[in-house]
Coordinates of all heavy atoms in Angstrom, one line a residue:
F1 N 85.2 39.5 40.8 CA 85.8 40.8 40.9 C 86.6 40.9 42.2 O 87.7 41.5 42.2 CB 84.8 41.9 40.7 CG 85.4 43.3 40.7 CD1 86.1 43.8 39.6 CD2 85.2 44.1 41.8 CE1 86.6 45.0 39.6 CE2 85.7 45.4 41.8 CZ 86.4 45.9 40.7
G2 N 86.1 40.4 43.2 CA 86.7 40.5 44.5 C 88.1 39.8 44.5 O 89.1 40.3 45.2
F3 N 88.2 38.7 43.8 CA 89.5 38.0 43.7 C 90.5 38.8 43.1 O 91.7 38.9 43.6 CB 89.2 36.7 42.9 CG 90.5 35.9 42.7 CD1 91.1 35.2 43.8 CD2 91.1 35.8 41.5 CE1 92.2 34.4 43.6 CE2 92.2 35.1 41.3 CZ 92.8 34.4 42.3
A4 N 90.2 39.5 42.0 CA 91.1 40.3 41.3 C 91.6 41.5 42.2 O 92.8 41.9 42.2 CB 90.5 40.8 40.0
V5 N 90.7 42.0 42.9 CA 91.0 43.2 43.8 C 92.0 42.7 44.9 O 93.0 43.3 45.1 CB 89.7 43.7 44.5 CG1 90.1 44.7 45.6 CG2 88.8 44.4 43.5
D6 N 91.8 41.6 45.5 CA 92.7 41.1 46.5 C 94.0 40.7 46.0 O 95.1 41.0 46.6 CB 92.0 39.9 47.2 CG 90.9 40.2 48.1 OD1 90.9 41.4 48.7 OD2 90.0 39.4 48.3
V7 N 94.1 40.0 44.9 CA 95.4 39.5 44.3 C 96.2 40.8 43.8 O 97.4 40.8 44.0 CB 95.1 38.5 43.1 CG1 96.4 38.2 42.4 CG2 94.6 37.2 43.7
T8 N 95.5 41.7 43.2 CA 96.2 43.0 42.8 C 96.8 43.7 44.0 O 97.9 44.2 43.9 CB 95.2 43.9 42.0 OG1 94.7 43.2 40.9 CG2 95.9 45.1 41.6
A9 N 96.0 43.7 45.1 CA 96.5 44.4 46.3 C 97.8 43.7 46.8 O 98.8 44.3 47.2 CB 95.5 44.4 47.4
L10 N 97.8 42.3 46.8 CA 98.9 41.6 47.2 C 100.1 41.8 46.4 O 101.3 42.0 46.8 CB 98.6 40.1 47.2 CG 97.6 39.6 48.3 CD1 97.2 38.2 48.0 CD2 98.1 39.8 49.7
M11 N 99.9 41.9 45.1 CA 101.0 42.1 44.1 C 101.5 43.5 44.2 O 102.7 43.8 44.1 CB 100.6 41.8 42.7 CG 100.3 40.3 42.5 SD 100.0 39.7 40.9 CE 101.7 40.0 40.2
N12 N 100.6 44.5 44.5 CA 101.1 45.9 44.7 C 101.9 46.0 45.9 O 102.9 46.7 46.0 CB 99.9 46.8 44.7 CG 99.3 47.1 43.4 OD1 100.0 47.0 42.4 ND2 98.0 47.5 43.4
E13 N 101.5 45.3 47.0 CA 102.3 45.3 48.2 C 103.7 44.8 48.0 O 104.7 45.3 48.4 CB 101.6 44.4 49.3 CG 102.3 44.4 50.6 CD 101.6 43.4 51.6 OE1 100.4 43.1 51.4 OE2 102.2 43.0 52.5
L14 N 103.8 43.6 47.2 CA 105.1 43.1 46.9 C 105.9 44.1 46.1 O 107.1 44.3 46.3 CB 105.0 41.8 46.2 CG 106.3 41.2 45.6 CD1 107.3 40.8 46.7 CD2 106.0 40.0 44.7
N15 N 105.3 44.6 45.1 CA 106.0 45.6 44.2 C 106.5 46.8 45.0 O 107.7 47.2 44.8 CB 105.0 46.1 43.1 CG 105.6 46.9 42.1 OD1 106.8 46.8 41.8 ND2 104.9 47.9 41.6
T16 N 105.8 47.3 45.9 CA 106.2 48.4 46.7 C 107.4 48.0 47.6 O 108.4 48.8 47.7 CB 105.1 48.9 47.6 OG1 104.0 49.3 46.8 CG2 105.5 50.1 48.5
K17 N 107.4 46.9 48.1 CA 108.5 46.4 49.0 C 109.8 46.2 48.1 O 110.9 46.5 48.6 CB 108.2 45.1 49.6 CG 107.2 45.2 50.8 CD 106.8 43.9 51.4 CE 105.8 44.0 52.4 NZ 105.4 42.7 53.0
L18 N 109.6 45.7 46.9 CA 110.8 45.5 46.0 C 111.4 46.8 45.5 O 112.6 46.8 45.1 CB 110.4 44.6 44.8 CG 110.0 43.2 45.1 CD1 109.5 42.5 43.9 CD2 111.2 42.4 45.7
Q19 N 110.7 47.9 45.5 CA 111.2 49.2 45.1 C 111.9 50.0 46.1 O 112.3 51.1 45.8 CB 110.0 50.0 44.4 CG 109.5 49.4 43.2 CD 108.4 50.2 42.5 OE1 108.4 51.4 42.6 NE2 107.5 49.6 41.8
C20 N 112.0 49.5 47.3 CA 112.6 50.3 48.4 C 114.1 50.5 48.0 O 114.7 49.7 47.4 CB 112.6 49.5 49.7 SG 110.9 49.4 50.4
R21 N 114.5 51.7 48.4 CA 116.0 52.0 48.2 C 116.9 51.2 49.1 O 116.5 51.0 50.3 CB 116.2 53.5 48.4 CG 115.8 54.3 47.3 CD 116.3 55.8 47.6 NE 115.8 56.6 46.5 CZ 116.5 57.1 45.6 NH1 117.8 56.9 45.6 NH2 115.9 57.8 44.6
G22 N 118.0 50.9 48.6 CA 119.0 50.2 49.4 C 118.8 48.8 49.8 O 119.4 48.2 50.7
I23 N 117.8 48.2 49.1 CA 117.5 46.8 49.4 C 118.4 45.9 48.5 O 118.7 46.1 47.4 CB 116.0 46.5 49.1 CG1 115.6 45.1 49.6 CG2 115.7 46.7 47.7 CD1 114.1 44.8 49.6
F24 N 119.0 44.9 49.2 CA 119.9 44.0 48.5 C 119.2 42.9 47.8 O 118.0 42.6 48.1 CB 120.9 43.3 49.5 CG 121.8 44.3 50.1 CD1 121.6 44.7 51.4 CD2 122.9 44.8 49.4 CE1 122.5 45.6 52.0 CE2 123.8 45.7 50.0 CZ 123.6 46.1 51.3
V25 N 119.8 42.3 46.8 CA 119.2 41.2 46.0 C 118.7 40.1 46.8 O 117.6 39.6 46.6 CB 120.2 40.7 44.9 CG1 119.7 39.5 44.2 CG2 120.6 41.8 43.9
Y26 N 119.5 39.6 47.8 CA 119.0 38.5 48.6 C 117.8 38.9 49.4 O 116.9 38.0 49.7 CB 120.1 38.0 49.5 CG 120.5 38.8 50.6 CD1 119.9 38.8 51.9 CD2 121.6 39.8 50.5 CE1 120.3 39.6 52.9 CE2 121.9 40.6 51.5 CZ 121.3 40.5 52.8 OH 121.7 41.3 53.8
E27 N 117.6 40.2 49.8 CA 116.4 40.6 50.5 C 115.2 40.6 49.5 O 114.1 40.2 49.9 CB 116.6 42.0 51.0 CG 117.7 42.1 52.2 CD 118.0 43.5 52.6 OE1 118.3 44.3 51.7 OE2 117.9 43.8 53.8
M28 N 115.5 41.0 48.3 CA 114.4 41.0 47.3 C 113.9 39.6 47.1 O 112.7 39.3 47.0 CB 114.9 41.6 46.0 CG 115.1 43.1 46.0 SD 115.7 43.6 44.4 CE 115.7 45.3 44.6
Y29 N 114.9 38.7 46.9 CA 114.6 37.3 46.7 C 113.8 36.7 47.9 O 112.9 35.9 47.7 CB 115.8 36.5 46.4 CG 115.5 35.0 46.0 CD1 114.7 34.7 45.0 CD2 116.0 34.0 46.8 CE1 114.4 33.4 44.6 CE2 115.8 32.7 46.4 CZ 114.9 32.4 45.4 OH 114.6 31.1 45.1
S30 N 114.2 37.1 49.1 CA 113.4 36.6 50.3 C 112.0 37.1 50.2 O 111.1 36.4 50.6 CB 114.1 37.1 51.5 OG 115.3 36.5 51.7
L31 N 111.8 38.4 49.8 CA 110.4 38.9 49.7 C 109.6 38.1 48.6 O 108.4 37.8 48.8 CB 110.5 40.4 49.3 CG 111.0 41.3 50.3 CD1 111.2 42.7 49.7 CD2 110.0 41.4 51.5
V32 N 110.3 37.8 47.5 CA 109.6 37.0 46.5 C 109.2 35.6 47.0 O 108.1 35.1 46.8 CB 110.4 36.9 45.2 CG1 109.9 35.9 44.2 CG2 110.6 38.3 44.6
K33 N 110.2 35.0 47.7 CA 109.9 33.6 48.2 C 108.8 33.7 49.2 O 107.9 32.8 49.3 CB 111.1 33.0 48.9 CG 112.2 32.6 47.9 CD 113.3 31.8 48.6 CE 113.7 32.2 49.9 NZ 114.8 31.4 50.5
A34 N 108.7 34.7 50.1 CA 107.6 34.8 51.1 C 106.3 35.0 50.3 O 105.3 34.5 50.7 CB 107.9 36.0 52.0
F35 N 106.3 35.8 49.3 CA 105.1 36.0 48.5 C 104.6 34.7 47.9 O 103.4 34.4 47.9 CB 105.4 37.0 47.4 CG 104.2 37.3 46.5 CD1 103.1 38.1 47.0 CD2 104.0 36.8 45.3 CE1 102.0 38.4 46.2 CE2 102.9 37.1 44.5 CZ 101.9 37.9 45.0
M36 N 105.6 33.9 47.4 CA 105.2 32.6 46.8 C 104.6 31.7 47.8 O 103.6 31.0 47.6 CB 106.4 32.0 46.1 CG 106.9 32.7 44.9 SD 108.4 32.2 44.2 CE 108.2 30.5 43.9
K37 N 105.1 31.7 49.0 CA 104.5 30.9 50.1 C 103.2 31.4 50.5 O 102.3 30.6 50.7 CB 105.5 30.9 51.3 CG 106.7 30.1 51.1 CD 107.6 30.1 52.4 CE 108.8 29.3 52.0 NZ 109.7 29.1 53.2
K38 N 103.0 32.7 50.4 CA 101.7 33.3 50.7 C 100.7 32.8 49.6 O 99.5 32.5 49.9 CB 101.8 34.8 50.7 CG 100.5 35.5 51.1 CD 100.6 37.0 51.0 CE 101.3 37.6 52.2 NZ 101.2 39.1 52.2
L39 N 101.1 32.8 48.4 CA 100.2 32.3 47.3 C 99.8 30.8 47.6 O 98.6 30.5 47.4 CB 100.9 32.4 45.9 CG 101.2 33.7 45.4 CD1 102.0 33.7 44.1 CD2 99.8 34.5 45.2
Q40 N 100.7 30.0 48.0 CA 100.4 28.6 48.3 C 99.4 28.5 49.5 O 98.5 27.8 49.4 CB 101.6 27.8 48.6 CG 102.5 27.5 47.4 CD 103.8 26.8 47.8 OE1 104.4 27.1 48.8 NE2 104.1 25.8 47.0
F41 N 99.7 29.3 50.5 CA 98.8 29.4 51.7 C 97.4 29.8 51.3 O 96.4 29.2 51.7 CB 99.4 30.3 52.7 CG 98.5 30.6 53.9 CD1 98.2 29.6 54.8 CD2 97.8 31.8 54.0 CE1 97.4 29.9 55.9 CE2 97.0 32.1 55.0 CZ 96.8 31.1 56.0
L42 N 97.3 30.9 50.5 CA 96.0 31.4 50.1 C 95.2 30.4 49.2 O 94.0 30.3 49.3 CB 96.1 32.7 49.4 CG 96.6 33.9 50.3 CD1 96.9 35.1 49.5 CD2 95.6 34.2 51.4
S43 N 96.0 29.7 48.4 CA 95.4 28.7 47.5 C 94.7 27.6 48.4 O 93.6 27.2 48.1 CB 96.4 28.1 46.6 OG 95.8 27.1 45.8
S44 N 95.4 27.1 49.4 CA 94.9 26.1 50.2 C 93.7 26.6 51.1 O 92.7 25.9 51.3 CB 96.0 25.5 51.1 OG 96.4 26.4 52.1
Q45 N 93.8 27.9 51.5 CA 92.7 28.5 52.2 C 91.5 28.6 51.4 O 90.4 28.3 51.8 CB 93.1 29.9 52.7 CG 94.2 29.9 53.8 CD 93.7 29.5 55.1 OE1 92.9 30.3 55.7 NE2 94.0 28.3 55.6
I46 N 91.6 29.0 50.1 CA 90.5 29.1 49.2 C 89.8 27.7 49.0 O 88.6 27.6 49.0 CB 90.9 29.7 47.9 CG1 91.2 31.2 48.1 CG2 89.8 29.6 46.8 CD1 91.8 31.9 46.9
E47 N 90.7 26.7 48.8 CA 90.1 25.4 48.6 C 89.3 24.9 49.8 O 88.3 24.2 49.7 CB 91.3 24.3 48.5 CG 92.0 24.4 47.1 CD 93.1 23.5 47.0 OE1 93.4 22.7 48.0 OE2 93.8 23.5 46.0
D48 N 89.6 25.4 51.0 CA 88.8 25.1 52.2 C 87.8 26.1 52.5 O 87.2 26.1 53.6 CB 89.8 24.9 53.4 CG 90.7 23.8 53.3 OD1 90.4 22.8 52.5 OD2 91.8 23.8 53.9
N49 N 87.5 27.0 51.6 CA 86.5 28.1 51.7 C 86.8 29.0 53.0 O 85.9 29.4 53.6 CB 85.1 27.5 51.8 CG 84.1 28.6 51.5 OD1 84.4 29.6 51.0 ND2 82.8 28.3 51.8
I50 N 88.1 29.2 53.2 CA 88.5 30.1 54.3 C 89.0 31.4 53.6 O 90.1 31.4 53.0 CB 89.6 29.5 55.2 CG1 89.0 28.2 55.8 CG2 90.0 30.5 56.3 CD1 90.1 27.3 56.5
L51 N 88.3 32.4 53.7 CA 88.6 33.7 52.9 C 89.0 34.8 53.8 O 88.9 36.0 53.5 CB 87.4 34.0 52.1 CG 86.8 32.9 51.2 CD1 85.6 33.4 50.4 CD2 87.9 32.5 50.2
T52 N 89.5 34.5 55.0 CA 89.9 35.5 56.0 C 90.9 36.5 55.4 O 90.8 37.7 55.7 CB 90.5 34.8 57.2 OG1 89.6 33.8 57.7 CG2 90.8 35.8 58.3
H53 N 91.8 36.1 54.7 CA 92.9 36.9 54.2 C 92.6 37.6 52.8 O 93.4 38.2 52.2 CB 94.2 36.2 54.1 CG 94.6 35.6 55.4 ND1 95.1 36.4 56.4 CD2 94.6 34.3 55.9 CE1 95.4 35.6 57.5 NE2 95.0 34.3 57.1
L54 N 91.4 37.3 52.3 CA 90.9 37.9 51.0 C 89.6 38.6 51.2 O 88.5 38.1 50.8 CB 90.8 36.8 50.0 CG 92.1 36.0 49.7 CD1 91.8 34.7 49.0 CD2 93.1 36.9 49.0
P55 N 89.6 39.8 51.8 CA 88.4 40.4 52.2 C 87.4 40.8 51.1 O 86.2 40.6 51.2 CB 88.9 41.7 52.9 CG 90.2 41.9 52.5 CD 90.8 40.6 52.2
A56 N 87.9 41.2 50.0 CA 87.0 41.5 48.8 C 86.4 40.3 48.3 O 85.2 40.3 47.9 CB 87.8 42.3 47.7
L57 N 87.1 39.2 48.2 CA 86.5 37.9 47.8 C 85.5 37.4 48.8 O 84.4 36.9 48.4 CB 87.6 36.9 47.6 CG 87.2 35.5 47.1 CD1 86.5 35.6 45.7 CD2 88.4 34.6 46.9
K58 N 85.8 37.6 50.0 CA 84.9 37.1 51.1 C 83.5 37.8 51.0 O 82.5 37.3 51.1 CB 85.5 37.3 52.4 CG 84.7 36.8 53.6 CD 85.4 36.9 54.9 CE 84.6 36.3 56.0 NZ 85.3 36.4 57.3
E59 N 83.6 39.1 50.7 CA 82.4 39.9 50.6 C 81.6 39.5 49.4 O 80.4 39.6 49.4 CB 82.8 41.4 50.5 CG 81.7 42.4 50.5 CD 82.2 43.8 50.5 OE1 83.1 44.1 51.3 OE2 81.6 44.6 49.7
A60 N 82.2 39.0 48.3 CA 81.5 38.6 47.1 C 80.8 37.3 47.2 O 80.0 37.0 46.4 CB 82.5 38.6 45.9
T61 N 81.1 36.5 48.3 CA 80.6 35.2 48.5 C 80.5 34.4 47.2 O 79.5 34.1 46.7 CB 79.2 35.3 49.1 OG1 78.3 36.0 48.3 CG2 79.2 35.9 50.5
P62 N 81.7 33.9 46.8 CA 81.8 33.2 45.5 C 81.3 31.7 45.7 O 81.2 31.2 46.8 CB 83.3 33.2 45.2 CG 83.9 33.3 46.5 CD 83.0 34.1 47.4
S63 N 80.9 31.1 44.5 CA 80.5 29.7 44.5 C 81.7 28.8 44.7 O 82.8 29.2 44.5 CB 79.7 29.4 43.2 OG 80.7 29.5 42.1
T64 N 81.4 27.6 44.9 CA 82.4 26.5 45.1 C 83.2 26.4 43.8 O 84.4 26.2 43.8 CB 81.8 25.2 45.5 OG1 81.1 25.4 46.7 CG2 82.9 24.1 45.7
D65 N 82.5 26.5 42.6 CA 83.2 26.4 41.3 C 84.2 27.5 41.2 O 85.3 27.3 40.7 CB 82.2 26.4 40.2 CG 81.4 25.1 40.1 OD1 81.9 24.1 40.7 OD2 80.4 25.1 39.4
H66 N 83.8 28.7 41.5 CA 84.7 29.9 41.4 C 85.9 29.7 42.4 O 87.0 30.1 42.0 CB 83.9 31.2 41.7 CG 83.1 31.6 40.6 ND1 81.7 31.7 40.7 CD2 83.4 32.0 39.3 CE1 81.2 32.1 39.6 NE2 82.2 32.3 38.7
L67 N 85.6 29.3 43.6 CA 86.7 29.1 44.5 C 87.8 28.1 44.0 O 89.0 28.3 44.1 CB 86.2 28.6 45.9 CG 85.4 29.6 46.7 CD1 84.9 29.0 48.0 CD2 86.2 30.8 47.0
C68 N 87.3 27.0 43.4 CA 88.2 26.1 42.8 C 89.0 26.7 41.7 O 90.2 26.5 41.6 CB 87.4 24.9 42.2 SG 88.4 23.5 41.7
R69 N 88.4 27.5 40.9 CA 89.1 28.2 39.8 C 90.1 29.2 40.3 O 91.2 29.3 39.8 CB 88.1 28.9 38.9 CG 88.5 29.1 37.5 CD 87.5 29.6 36.5 NE 86.1 29.4 37.0 CZ 85.1 30.1 36.6 NH1 85.3 31.1 35.7 NH2 83.9 29.9 37.0
Y70 N 89.7 29.9 41.4 CA 90.6 30.9 42.0 C 91.9 30.2 42.6 O 93.0 30.7 42.5 CB 89.9 31.7 43.1 CG 88.8 32.6 42.5 CD1 87.7 32.9 43.3 CD2 88.8 33.1 41.2 CE1 86.6 33.7 42.8 CE2 87.7 33.9 40.7 CZ 86.7 34.2 41.6 OH 85.6 34.9 41.1
S71 N 91.6 29.1 43.2 CA 92.7 28.4 43.8 C 93.7 27.9 42.7 O 94.9 28.0 42.9 CB 92.2 27.2 44.6 OG 93.3 26.4 45.1
S72 N 93.1 27.5 41.6 CA 94.0 27.1 40.5 C 94.7 28.3 39.9 O 95.9 28.1 39.5 CB 93.1 26.5 39.4 OG 93.8 26.1 38.3
M73 N 94.1 29.4 39.9 CA 94.8 30.6 39.4 C 96.0 31.0 40.3 O 97.0 31.4 39.8 CB 93.8 31.8 39.3 CG 92.8 31.7 38.2 SD 91.7 33.1 38.3 CE 90.7 32.8 36.8
L74 N 95.8 30.9 41.6 CA 96.9 31.2 42.5 C 98.0 30.2 42.3 O 99.2 30.6 42.3 CB 96.4 31.2 43.9 CG 95.6 32.4 44.3 CD1 95.1 32.2 45.8 CD2 96.3 33.7 44.1
G75 N 97.7 29.0 42.0 CA 98.7 27.9 41.7 C 99.5 28.3 40.5 O 100.7 28.1 40.4
A76 N 98.7 28.7 39.4 CA 99.4 29.1 38.2 C 100.3 30.4 38.4 O 101.4 30.4 37.8 CB 98.3 29.4 37.1
L77 N 99.8 31.3 39.2 CA 100.7 32.5 39.5 C 101.9 32.1 40.3 O 103.0 32.5 40.0 CB 99.8 33.5 40.3 CG 100.5 34.8 40.6 CD1 100.9 35.6 39.4 CD2 99.6 35.7 41.5
H78 N 101.8 31.1 41.2 CA 102.9 30.6 41.9 C 103.9 30.0 40.9 O 105.1 30.2 41.0 CB 102.5 29.6 43.0 CG 103.6 29.0 43.7 ND1 104.3 27.9 43.3 CD2 104.2 29.4 44.9 CE1 105.3 27.6 44.1 NE2 105.3 28.5 45.1
G79 N 103.4 29.2 40.0 CA 104.2 28.5 39.0 C 105.0 29.5 38.1 O 106.1 29.3 37.8
E80 N 104.3 30.6 37.8 CA 104.9 31.7 37.0 C 106.1 32.4 37.8 O 107.1 32.6 37.2 CB 103.9 32.7 36.5 CG 104.4 33.7 35.5 CD 104.9 33.1 34.2 OE1 104.5 32.0 33.9 OE2 105.7 33.8 33.6
F81 N 105.8 32.6 39.0 CA 106.9 33.2 39.8 C 108.1 32.2 40.0 O 109.2 32.7 39.9 CB 106.4 33.6 41.2 CG 105.9 35.0 41.3 CD1 104.6 35.3 40.9 CD2 106.7 36.0 41.8 CE1 104.1 36.6 41.0 CE2 106.2 37.3 41.9 CZ 105.0 37.6 41.5
S82 N 107.8 31.0 40.1 CA 108.8 30.0 40.2 C 109.7 29.9 39.0 O 110.9 29.9 39.0 CB 108.3 28.6 40.5 OG 107.7 28.5 41.7
R83 N 109.0 30.0 37.8 CA 109.7 30.0 36.5 C 110.6 31.2 36.4 O 111.7 31.1 36.0 CB 108.7 29.9 35.4 CG 109.3 29.7 34.0 CD 108.3 29.7 32.9 NE 107.6 30.9 32.7 CZ 108.2 32.0 32.1 NH1 109.4 31.9 31.7 NH2 107.5 33.1 32.0
R84 N 110.0 32.3 36.7 CA 110.7 33.6 36.5 C 111.9 33.8 37.4 O 112.9 34.5 37.1 CB 109.8 34.8 36.6 CG 108.8 34.9 35.4 CD 107.9 36.0 35.5 NE 107.0 36.1 34.4 CZ 107.1 37.0 33.4 NH1 108.0 37.9 33.4 NH2 106.2 36.9 32.5
F85 N 111.9 33.2 38.6 CA 112.9 33.4 39.6 C 113.8 32.1 39.8 O 114.5 32.0 40.7 CB 112.3 33.8 40.9 CG 111.8 35.3 40.8 CD1 110.5 35.5 40.6 CD2 112.7 36.3 41.0 CE1 110.0 36.8 40.5 CE2 112.3 37.6 40.9 CZ 110.9 37.9 40.6
Q86 N 113.7 31.2 38.8 CA 114.4 29.9 38.9 C 115.9 30.1 38.9 O 116.7 29.4 39.6 CB 114.0 28.9 37.9 CG 114.4 29.3 36.5 CD 113.8 28.4 35.4 OE1 113.2 27.4 35.8 NE2 114.0 28.7 34.2
D87 N 116.4 31.2 38.3 CA 117.9 31.4 38.3 C 118.4 31.8 39.7 O 119.5 31.5 40.0 CB 118.2 32.6 37.3 CG 118.0 32.2 35.8 OD1 117.9 30.9 35.6 OD2 117.9 33.0 35.0
F88 N 117.5 32.5 40.4 CA 117.9 32.9 41.8 C 118.0 31.6 42.7 O 118.8 31.6 43.6 CB 116.9 33.9 42.4 CG 117.1 35.3 41.8 CD1 116.3 35.7 40.7 CD2 118.0 36.2 42.3 CE1 116.4 36.9 40.2 CE2 118.1 37.4 41.8 CZ 117.3 37.8 40.7
K89 N 117.1 30.7 42.4 CA 117.1 29.5 43.2 C 118.5 28.7 43.1 O 119.0 28.2 44.1 CB 116.0 28.5 42.7 CG 115.8 27.3 43.5 CD 115.1 27.5 44.7 CE 114.8 26.2 45.4 NZ 114.8 26.3 46.8
T90 N 119.1 28.8 41.9 CA 120.3 28.1 41.7 C 121.5 28.7 42.5 O 122.5 28.1 42.8 CB 120.7 28.0 40.2 OG1 120.8 29.3 39.7 CG2 119.7 27.2 39.5
V91 N 121.4 30.0 42.7 CA 122.5 30.7 43.4 C 122.1 31.2 44.8 O 122.7 32.0 45.4 CB 123.0 32.0 42.6 CG1 123.6 31.5 41.3 CG2 121.9 33.0 42.4
E92 N 121.0 30.7 45.3 CA 120.5 31.1 46.6 C 121.5 30.9 47.7 O 121.7 31.8 48.6 CB 119.2 30.3 46.9 CG 118.5 30.7 48.2 CD 117.2 30.0 48.4 OE1 116.9 29.0 47.7 OE2 116.5 30.4 49.3
N93 N 122.2 29.8 47.8 CA 123.2 29.6 48.9 C 124.3 30.6 48.8 O 124.8 31.1 49.8 CB 123.7 28.1 48.8 CG 122.6 27.1 49.3 OD1 121.7 27.5 50.0 ND2 122.8 25.9 48.8
E94 N 124.7 30.9 47.6 CA 125.8 31.8 47.4 C 125.4 33.2 47.9 O 126.3 34.0 48.4 CB 126.3 31.9 46.0 CG 127.1 30.6 45.5 CD 126.2 29.5 45.1 OE1 125.0 29.7 45.0 OE2 126.7 28.4 44.9
M95 N 124.2 33.6 47.6 CA 123.7 34.9 48.0 C 123.8 35.1 49.6 O 124.2 36.1 50.1 CB 122.3 35.2 47.6 CG 122.2 35.5 46.1 SD 120.5 36.2 45.7 CE 119.5 34.7 45.8
H96 N 123.4 34.0 50.3 CA 123.5 34.1 51.7 C 124.9 34.1 52.3 O 125.2 34.7 53.3 CB 122.6 33.0 52.3 CG 121.2 33.1 52.2 ND1 120.5 34.1 52.8 CD2 120.3 32.5 51.4 CE1 119.2 34.1 52.5 NE2 119.1 33.1 51.6
M97 N 125.8 33.4 51.6 CA 127.1 33.3 52.0 C 127.9 34.6 51.8 O 128.8 35.0 52.6 CB 127.9 32.2 51.3 CG 127.3 30.8 51.7 SD 128.0 29.5 50.7 CE 129.6 29.4 51.3
T98 N 127.5 35.4 50.8 CA 128.1 36.6 50.4 C 127.8 37.7 51.4 O 128.6 38.6 51.7 CB 127.7 37.1 49.0 OG1 128.0 36.0 48.1 CG2 128.5 38.3 48.6
F99 N 126.6 37.7 52.0 CA 126.2 38.8 52.8 C 126.1 38.3 54.2 O 125.4 37.8 54.9 CB 124.9 39.4 52.3 CG 125.1 40.1 51.0 CD1 124.7 39.4 49.8 CD2 125.6 41.3 50.9 CE1 124.8 40.0 48.6 CE2 125.7 41.9 49.6 CZ 125.4 41.2 48.5

């Protein structure tokens, strides 16, 4: 349960940032890329049983099997974000040149 709480909080944080008024597309994409890097970082932290950035999960004291599963879930979430934002990747250089 702690894992779901922490991941939901992270996604809500991203969602709130993406809904700001006056934010440009390249800024949104930068936020998404930063979130994806955070997912990779957290996945590696979970693999090493370092739960500093996931307080609800840390409090739940999960087993090694659960940690392995959670790390895999973060990897899958990263993959889904990569898939959904792949079109932005192809025009990333143009976005930076325009602004």
Side-chain angles (χ1 to χ4, degrees):
F1 183 72
F3 177 74
V5 169
D6 288 331
V7 171
T8 301
L10 291 170
M11 292 188 70
N12 283 338
E13 180 184 340
L14 173 64
N15 187 31
T16 301
K17 289 177 181 178
L18 291 174
Q19 291 183 31
C20 288
R21 277 188 188 255
I23 188 169
F24 292 105
V25 172
Y26 70 89
E27 293 171 310
M28 290 180 173
Y29 184 58
S30 292
L31 290 169
V32 170
K33 287 191 322 182
F35 181 76
M36 291 170 58
K37 287 181 183 184
K38 185 183 284 189
L39 291 175
Q40 289 177 316
F41 170 74
L42 292 173
S43 178
S44 69
Q45 292 283 289
I46 288 174
E47 286 177 2
D48 295 335
N49 197 17
I50 301 169
L51 307 177
T52 307
H53 302 287
L54 301 165
L57 181 59
K58 184 176 184 176
E59 188 175 310
T61 59
S63 68
T64 304
D65 289 341
H66 283 116
L67 290 176
C68 189
R69 209 171 339 154
Y70 296 150
S71 178
S72 177
M73 287 176 176
L74 288 179
L77 184 59
H78 179 274
E80 187 61 23
F81 267 82
S82 292
R83 186 184 68 77
R84 289 180 182 252
F85 290 95
Q86 66 187 356
D87 292 342
F88 286 94
K89 182 81 174 147
T90 59
V91 295
E92 184 174 12
N93 289 335
E94 288 83 7
M95 281 192 290
H96 288 289
M97 293 171 75
T98 305
F99 296 98

